[in-house]
Amino acid sequence: MQNQQPELSWRDGDVPVSLRFDDPYFSLENGLAETRHVFLSGNDLPDRFRDGFQIAELGFGTGLNLLTAWAAWERAGCSGRLNFTSFEAFPMDAAQMARALQAFPEVAPWRDRFLTGWAGSGGYMSETLRFELIVGDARKTLPEWEGQADAWFLDGFSPARNPELWGAKLLADVGRHTAPAGTLATYTAAGQVRRALQAAGFLITRVPGYGRKRHMTRGALA
């Protein structure tokens, strides 16, 4: 798959919506609170942070998950560097990210540092963060990744709208690229996703979701 720009519309001024998948990029209630609930708490973060901790993510989107995790890392006073790798087929450019992230002034200091130093579709390095964006179809790029994630953020668009990012083969690759005692979290509790993750080797738990979403999914490598 060639690198393609996302097809966006903007709801209520600055809320990005994917025209390709007919889905907003973050919760219309409070995207930052949802990220903290689903991806940080869902992976027991920041309690598990340590130097070199590796987060991997399916679906980079606006970068909100990255900035939230980075902010949590620095606020926790962690030593060393957080590693964050994201797989994204249709990356936003810096201007689109900046527009979307205006909705979250709490992460503005991290947004500004990141966008100032980010090399577009490449990576970003600071004293506290090493970020890598892997552009392309994750079904092709994840099997080639040499990393092992301590925590996965599974944040593709809805499985009903973007089934390719929730297929059993790809989620099996998630399992193969998870470190011992690694975890995952996702906002979806779809039965086919939970079953595929169980088949990939995870112990799966359905727990309360954020806002109007009754349930979400947590997992730990068995």
Side-chain angles (χ1 to χ4, degrees):
M1 176 183 292
Q2 295 180 344
N3 179 13
Q4 299 182 53
Q5 291 292 312
E7 298 173 4
L8 300 179
S9 66
W10 297 88
R11 183 179 302 173
D12 299 328
D14 293 313
V15 176
V17 177
S18 170
L19 296 177
R20 182 176 281 108
F21 300 109
D22 190 26
D23 215 9
Y25 276 79
F26 47 73
S27 169
L28 301 180
E29 295 179 62
N30 187 322
L32 180 57
E34 181 179 45
T35 289
R36 287 170 172 160
H37 177 86
V38 175
F39 298 113
L40 295 190
S41 296
N43 282 290
D44 297 321
L45 305 176
D47 291 346
R48 295 172 56 220
F49 279 154
R50 54 170 171 73
D51 185 15
F53 191 88
Q54 174 71 63
I55 294 173
E57 174 183 54
L58 294 184
F60 181 58
T62 65
L64 179 61
N65 296 341
L66 164 68
L67 300 181
T68 305
W70 186 20
W73 174 275
E74 292 194 343
R75 285 170 170 159
C78 299
S79 61
R81 182 178 286 136
L82 173 67
N83 295 322
F84 196 110
T85 300
S86 189
F87 297 84
E88 173 63 60
F90 306 104
M92 287 187 176
D93 61 33
Q96 292 167 329
M97 289 175 61
R99 179 176 176 181
L101 292 167
Q102 289 182 113
F104 309 107
E106 191 173 339
V107 297
W110 293 271
R111 174 201 67 201
D112 293 345
R113 287 159 60 193
F114 178 78
L115 291 178
T116 298
W118 186 43
S121 62
Y124 174 87
M125 182 83 76
S126 75
E127 292 184 359
T128 55
L129 175 68
R130 176 186 176 274
F131 170 70
E132 175 186 29
L133 179 63
I134 298 178
V135 178
D137 188 330
R139 294 172 295 181
K140 298 178 181 179
T141 58
L142 176 54
E144 299 174 355
W145 186 47
E146 296 181 356
Q148 295 280 300
D150 297 299
W152 275 97
F153 294 1
L154 303 183
D155 196 25
F157 291 110
S158 164
R161 301 176 189 274
N162 184 23
E164 294 82 5
L165 211 56
W166 303 95
K169 185 177 184 301
L170 179 58
L171 296 181
D173 283 322
V174 167
R176 283 188 283 271
H177 288 85
T178 302
T183 63
L184 65 85
T186 178
Y187 65 87
T188 184
Q192 73 269 23
V193 172
R194 290 186 285 112
R195 290 188 291 273
L197 289 170
Q198 288 173 331
F202 292 95
L203 295 174
I204 295 300
T205 306
R206 191 174 68 166
V207 298
Y210 175 77
R212 290 175 291 177
K213 295 177 181 176
R214 292 181 59 193
H215 300 109
M216 56 169 274
T217 301
R218 295 179 54 162
L221 196 63

